Amino acid sequence: MKIERVDLIQLHMPIKQSYETSYGIIEHAEPLILKFYTEDFTVFTECSAGSVRGFSYETMGTALEVLRQNIIPAVMGREISDPLEFHQLCKGFRGHPMAKASVENAFWIYKALEKKQSLAELLGNQKDRLIAGAGIGIQSTPEALVKLVDQYLEEGYTKIKVKIKPGQDLKYVAAVRKSHPQIALMVDANNAYSLDDIDTMKALDEFDLLMIEQPLAYDDIYYHAKLQSQLKTPIGLDESINGPYFAQLAIELKACGCINIKQCRVAGLARAREIHDICADAGIGVWCGGMLETGIGRAILLALSGLPNFTYPMDIGASDKYFFQDIVEPEFKLNSDGTLSVPKAPGLGVEVNEEVLDRYTVAREVIRFRHK
Ligand code: MG
């Protein structure tokens, strides 16, 4: 694959419902779409750094800067035949995994197109459907939360993830459990607690949760190990797992019972697959988390999340859970069994609807290869 031109397309997309987490409120999505032009194919990818502000240090601004200054110049105009070469070329630039993933993903999609395979097939995902999840932000009252849980269950979702923070935790989870004793339920604290909150954490054991996601600091593994040793409920690590090394460390220290794989948090699909394999060898299940992706990012997540050790249901919902209109065709619709279908067409597996893309575009920058 030889990139001749890249368009950096900034979108502003309204979302159906604002989403409150322990670190802030998300009012709209700000995805950055990348369109790669090569001699034979056009490939779309996505960077979600701008959509989930506060999740990490990356923002739309940092992603644009690093893409312009470092990542795109490193790959532009070069013949790159394997996605792993991308990681070699970017070895000199530390950090910025979401910016890196948005370019790394293009090499995988291109390779799939070249082989006339779907991305899922190329990655080794043999599944047709994956259990979807409905994530719910922090609500003003336990009653409001239960009402939303009812709504998503009625729509057909079978797994519910509830965001919590100190003061808006036990009563909320208790209310949901009381209304729905059997559903697959988990909580995500997004780093809002410390070891001083051990009593609250232990009280969560009562609710038969799939897991407690990232209760302690975003960069911590050691204290999670201390906490896990006192809990029955598995801890699921998200923010702290920045790459294969951290997965290995968390497993060795017994800091968690499962790991969230967000391919963008670990610089792309190659490292995501590495973490998947490390966890599989250790008997630790993984699940797929999201970053308010459009259909482009969603297709990439679904392609990855059918690998055998994704033993927990995804956090990923249908397009219409988040957006009034998605930028891909077909949009992702919830099947009657609470699943989403894995795209099976060659490459990304879905088409980008450029008319809708244009409608949400607020800025577009064209970067061309300078022939000597
Ligand atoms: Mg999380």
Side-chain angles (χ1 to χ4, degrees):
M1 170 174 168
K2 198 167 164 185
I3 302 167
E4 294 284 336
R5 167 180 162 179
V6 186
D7 289 5
L8 302 175
I9 309 163
Q10 295 178 51
L11 307 188
H12 181 102
M13 293 175 79
I15 53 175
K16 284 189 166 172
Q17 205 156 44
S18 62
Y19 196 69
E20 182 174 351
T21 68
S22 61
Y23 58 85
I25 302 177
I26 297 158
E27 308 271 14
H28 55 261
E30 277 186 346
L32 174 68
I33 304 302
L34 289 80
K35 185 176 181 182
F36 297 87
Y37 298 76
T38 72
E39 231 177 40
D40 21 31
F41 303 113
T42 304
V43 173
F44 284 93
T45 66
E46 169 169 0
C47 176
S48 300
S51 290
V52 187
R53 289 169 188 216
F55 176 84
S56 81
Y57 62 83
E58 289 190 86
T59 63
M60 173 75 88
T62 65
L64 282 169
E65 189 61 13
V66 167
L67 285 165
R68 283 182 198 126
Q69 298 295 329
N70 301 121
I71 302 173
I72 291 174
V75 297
M76 187 76 122
R78 276 178 190 251
E79 189 57 57
I80 296 171
S81 58
D82 193 296
L84 299 180
E85 280 176 48
F86 166 81
H87 289 281
Q88 282 301 321
L89 290 167
C90 286
K91 250 170 117 179
F93 320 126
R94 292 183 189 173
H96 302 279
M98 292 185 201
K100 283 178 183 161
S102 68
V103 178
E104 192 249 25
N105 291 175
F107 293 100
W108 287 101
I109 296 167
Y110 182 92
K111 195 172 178 182
L113 285 167
E114 214 178 24
K115 294 178 123 186
K116 298 188 174 61
Q117 286 183 333
S118 67
L119 180 61
E121 212 179 338
L122 177 69
L123 293 171
N125 170 1
Q126 293 173 348
K127 296 192 179 136
D128 295 326
R129 292 173 166 215
L130 300 169
I131 300 170
I136 305 181
I138 295 165
Q139 301 299 308
S140 53
T141 62
E143 294 72 35
L145 174 62
V146 172
K147 212 174 143 195
L148 264 182
V149 172
D150 291 346
Q151 183 198 311
Y152 288 126
L153 293 173
E154 246 165 62
E155 285 176 21
Y157 287 97
T158 57
K159 190 202 79 163
I160 301 289
K161 165 163 156 176
V162 171
K163 295 283 186 178
I164 56 168
K165 68 178 182 183
Q168 283 167 291
D169 39 38
L170 296 175
K171 277 187 191 158
Y172 286 68
V173 180
V176 176
R177 235 338 154 218
K178 200 172 162 210
S179 306
H180 302 287
Q182 304 294 336
I183 56 163
L185 180 65
M186 60 185 278
V187 294
D188 186 0
N190 291 107
N191 351 120
Y193 296 86
S194 74
L195 281 184
D196 294 341
D197 301 303
I198 185 72
D199 293 341
T200 306
M201 294 292 111
K202 279 186 173 170
L204 286 170
D205 269 340
E206 222 188 285
F207 301 116
D208 189 26
L209 301 173
L210 282 177
M211 73 182 78
I212 303 168
E213 187 175 347
Q214 196 79 31
L216 308 181
Y218 71 91
D219 54 356
D220 169 73
I221 290 178
Y222 176 67
Y223 291 113
H224 278 102
K226 289 197 158 197
L227 180 60
Q228 182 66 90
S229 69
Q230 298 178 71
L231 298 180
K232 279 187 283 176
T233 312
I235 289 176
L237 287 179
D238 174 3
E239 285 91 332
S240 333
I241 307 300
N242 288 317
Y245 165 79
F246 294 97
Q248 194 72 58
L249 182 64
I251 292 166
E252 296 278 334
L253 293 180
K254 298 188 170 59
C256 61
C258 47
I259 285 180
N260 179 332
I261 295 187
K262 287 180 176 157
Q263 62 91 20
C264 66
R265 194 192 62 230
V266 298
L269 293 164
R271 293 210 174 124
R273 229 169 37 167
E274 234 181 287
I275 294 172
H276 167 275
D277 294 349
I278 287 170
C279 291
D281 287 348
I284 295 276
V286 303
W287 87 103
C288 172
M291 294 285 289
L292 197 54
E293 285 89 352
T294 70
I296 295 174
R298 201 166 305 274
I300 294 168
L301 297 182
L302 282 160
L304 174 70
S305 307
L307 295 187
N309 194 40
F310 279 86
T311 52
Y312 288 81
M314 306 184 292
D315 290 345
I316 312 306
S319 300
D320 70 357
K321 180 181 180 296
Y322 317 91
F323 301 114
F324 296 97
Q325 189 170 11
D326 205 339
I327 58 172
V328 299
E329 275 174 357
E331 295 195 23
F332 288 93
K333 292 214 162 70
L334 195 67
N335 299 316
S336 57
D337 58 355
T339 61
L340 293 175
S341 298
V342 177
K344 287 294 164 97
L348 185 63
V350 289
E351 293 296 325
V352 174
N353 182 336
E354 299 214 39
E355 211 184 296
V356 181
L357 183 77
D358 282 348
R359 202 188 312 146
Y360 290 126
T361 297
V362 290
R364 186 173 188 135
E365 179 179 342
V366 175
I367 302 175
R368 284 179 209 275
F369 177 57
R370 291 177 192 172
H371 292 272
K372 284 174 188 143

